[in-house]
Amino acid sequence: MEEKNDLSRRTFLGVSALGVLGLAGCGSDPAPAPKVDVQVPQPLLDQAAALRGGSVGMLSQKLYSEAANKALDRSLQVFAQATGTTIRNDLVSGDAGDMVAKMDAEVKAGTNRDLAFVSDRRFVGQLHNLGALTDVTDVVTEMKALYGEPATASTKFCVFDGRWFAIPYHFIASGMYLRKDWYAEKGLPLKPYYTWEELRDNALAVSDPAKRRFGWGLTVNRSGDANGFIQNVIDTYGGAIADNTGTKVVFNSPETVAAVTFIGDIYTNPKYKPMLPPGVGSWTDSSNNENWLAGILGLTLNQFSVYADSKTKKNPVYANTHVFNGATGPALDRPLAYGESNSFVVFKGAKNPDLAKLVAKFMAGGSALLGVAKEAPCLVNPSWSKVWDSDPYYTSGDPAFPALREQTRTPLPVTTKTGYAFPQAPSPGEQAALAAYLLTDMMQSVIQGTKPADAVAATHGRIVQIFEQQGYRQ
């Protein structure tokens, strides 16, 4: 998923008591989303009455779709106008490696914004471990009465010692994509999931470099997508970064070595060279999106940003995309597909925490989310069960929606034959290790000739250092 590194600030001033503002399709997409009337529900207007004249500062994790970023801004503008408040909104890249450190430094210096929304899987554990977050259990309890239950994954990533420290905003499904027309030409079946070995062999079968067809659109270069790919293979093979408590490093295992050997063979064995697209070794998070949309890849793993782009821009690859839940490995007979949420956090020392919580409640439901969701179809989805029922768009707007909604209700945990239960307890150590791109560095060393067992052992040592820096003695 691409999230650009630039920061931009938008300030919305509450200048009237308007409760409705037309939200039109923004940007230069050839097929703008239908107009959405964003409304602030009366109960929220009533709660905001005592906060009139107040202001909050907010950080938004930048979405892949610029039109969705603009739709989010317009929802904030509606809220500010309707409540007579001011919202200062900054966009930030989730892939900026120092994002957590900067947030924590601002909290310690007393210069932090009031709230932010970030990936709960990637960042909430680290921020909570640093003592940067406010308990928001009261807000989540109130929202359950309004919106039903949140996605099951959020109960694993946002809850610590029975208390909520993040408010689920919108659900981000995990997905894989293959070219169903290429599969049809070779007589290969379309299935709800495959083994990793099947995907590798099928990718080779559909490849034809002379036709600019490359079956394997996955990189191991430093990127969030590569982190997700490598970790998923390791987990489905029966390995893990940490034990189920999230506190003890267990990375160096025969299962992890087997997974790293499998991945490394793809990028070093001449047999598989025809299925690797040019430059795959230096891809960033945007590269697989661009190459998929260019029509030269037969398989990729991505958040639904690439699917949303192909749909909104009427790219012919959209009609030839088979969406499936992922792959299995020797230790698991079902994919590890449970997604995550972008979730709101309220920082310690927030100047106006009550208004910050109210903004979060507004943005997660109804028309405020709908405008964003329509600009990023299948990438931005409801986290809350009743929000799925709030508009016909979520039931009939795309054939992928039923599977996406089902993913929000995935029974958890998913347990491997080796006893690891995913998602595991939120682990600041694991989140920091991923943010440092230790997995991708490990795979690069294998590609350069390091034996998988040696690369795994060395990476285990680096992970231990990070866990100890986070306060976990090994």
Side-chain angles (χ1 to χ4, degrees):
M1 176 181 171
E2 180 193 20
E3 291 178 347
K4 298 180 177 63
N5 290 324
D6 57 299
L7 268 176
S8 61
R9 166 164 289 185
R10 298 178 173 97
T11 301
F12 307 115
L13 302 175
V15 295
S16 73
L18 295 175
V20 180
L21 183 73
L23 176 58
C26 304
S28 57
D29 290 348
K35 182 178 179 180
V36 173
D37 287 331
V38 180
Q39 303 181 13
V40 183
Q42 189 60 47
L44 297 187
L45 288 173
D46 293 342
Q47 293 178 39
L51 304 173
R52 196 168 189 82
S55 65
V56 294
M58 173 175 157
L59 274 178
S60 298
Q61 186 167 311
K62 191 168 187 178
L63 303 173
Y64 179 76
S65 165
E66 183 56 32
N69 290 317
K70 292 179 180 179
L72 184 147
D73 285 346
R74 295 295 299 278
S75 290
L76 292 173
Q77 182 179 358
V78 168
F79 183 87
Q81 290 179 335
T83 59
T85 58
T86 301
I87 304 172
R88 298 180 303 279
N89 183 38
D90 294 330
L91 299 181
V92 63
S93 168
D95 290 318
D98 58 354
M99 187 175 79
V100 170
K102 284 185 175 180
M103 290 180 179
D104 181 53
E106 289 176 354
V107 170
K108 288 180 167 57
T111 59
N112 57 284
R113 298 149 180 90
D114 297 84
L115 78 162
F117 77 80
V118 296
S119 163
D120 52 19
R121 177 180 61 86
R122 295 175 62 186
F123 301 120
V124 171
Q126 292 182 76
L127 291 167
H128 173 262
N129 191 56
L130 291 165
L133 303 182
T134 297
D135 186 329
V136 290
T137 305
D138 57 335
V139 184
V140 174
T141 300
E142 182 182 347
M143 289 177 69
K144 286 183 179 182
L146 293 172
Y147 302 139
E149 291 297 318
T152 52
S154 66
T155 66
K156 303 296 182 180
F157 299 132
C158 300
V159 179
F160 301 85
D161 297 324
R163 308 294 295 177
W164 288 80
F165 284 84
I167 303 163
Y169 172 32
H170 64 77
F171 181 73
I172 305 171
S174 59
M176 293 191 74
Y177 316 91
L178 60 79
R179 284 292 296 266
K180 62 183 179 183
D181 51 338
W182 295 7
Y183 267 53
E185 289 178 13
K186 297 295 183 180
L188 298 171
L190 299 179
K191 303 186 341 185
Y193 56 86
Y194 302 79
T195 67
W196 280 112
E197 288 77 9
E198 280 182 299
L199 290 177
R200 175 199 61 194
D201 295 344
N202 290 348
L204 183 61
V206 302
S207 293
D208 187 346
K211 295 181 179 178
R212 287 184 56 77
R213 289 187 177 187
F214 302 96
W216 189 261
L218 305 173
T219 188
V220 290
N221 192 44
R222 280 191 166 209
S223 60
D225 292 329
N227 267 343
F229 162 51
I230 298 165
Q231 187 177 22
N232 190 281
V233 176
I234 290 171
D235 292 346
T236 58
Y237 264 65
I241 291 176
D243 67 358
N244 289 335
T245 69
T247 62
K248 181 175 178 57
V249 178
V250 295
F251 189 71
N252 191 0
S253 70
E255 293 80 13
T256 300
V257 173
V260 171
T261 300
F262 166 77
I263 298 171
D265 188 50
I266 291 173
Y267 299 93
T268 58
N269 191 332
K271 174 182 179 180
Y272 300 116
K273 185 176 180 179
M275 72 184 193
L276 300 179
V280 68
S282 59
W283 277 7
T284 63
D285 269 315
S286 64
S287 302
N288 69 329
N289 297 63
E290 294 160 358
N291 283 277
W292 177 262
L293 296 171
I296 69 171
L297 303 182
L299 171 77
T300 197
L301 180 156
N302 202 277
Q303 292 180 349
F304 272 76
S305 54
V306 67
Y307 186 78
D309 235 14
S310 67
K311 180 176 183 178
T312 57
K313 296 182 179 178
K314 296 187 176 180
N315 188 309
V317 76
Y318 171 75
N320 288 311
T321 299
H322 173 58
V323 181
F324 61 104
N325 283 332
T328 63
L332 197 60
D333 59 5
R334 58 183 280 200
L336 278 175
Y338 45 76
E340 62 191 80
S341 290
N342 267 339
S343 295
F344 283 103
V345 294
V346 178
F347 293 110
K348 287 279 184 69
K351 307 300 187 296
N352 198 337
D354 291 339
L355 182 57
K357 294 173 181 179
L358 199 58
V359 170
K361 284 190 284 187
F362 166 67
M363 293 296 291
S367 57
L369 180 66
L370 181 63
V372 184
K374 284 190 173 183
E375 295 290 5
C378 301
L379 173 62
V380 173
N381 307 288
S383 280
W384 300 84
S385 58
K386 289 183 181 179
V387 180
W388 276 101
D389 299 319
S390 66
D391 191 273
Y393 173 74
Y394 297 124
T395 55
S396 58
D398 191 277
F401 278 146
L404 294 175
R405 182 172 188 176
E406 193 60 33
Q407 199 172 126
T408 69
R409 301 183 291 208
T410 298
L412 298 174
V414 179
T415 304
T416 65
K417 295 176 183 177
T418 48
Y420 296 119
F422 296 100
Q424 296 170 297
S427 172
E430 179 178 313
Q431 292 178 3
L434 291 172
Y437 294 109
L438 301 192
L439 299 187
T440 57
D441 289 354
M442 173 187 67
M443 291 313 311
Q444 291 298 322
S445 72
V446 170
I447 290 172
Q448 293 166 12
T450 304
K451 293 181 180 179
D454 293 340
V456 169
T459 303
H460 180 99
R462 294 181 68 191
I463 296 173
V464 165
Q465 291 179 343
I466 286 181
F467 269 65
E468 290 180 340
Q469 290 168 4
Q470 294 285 333
Y472 299 117
R473 295 176 63 91
Q474 299 299 302

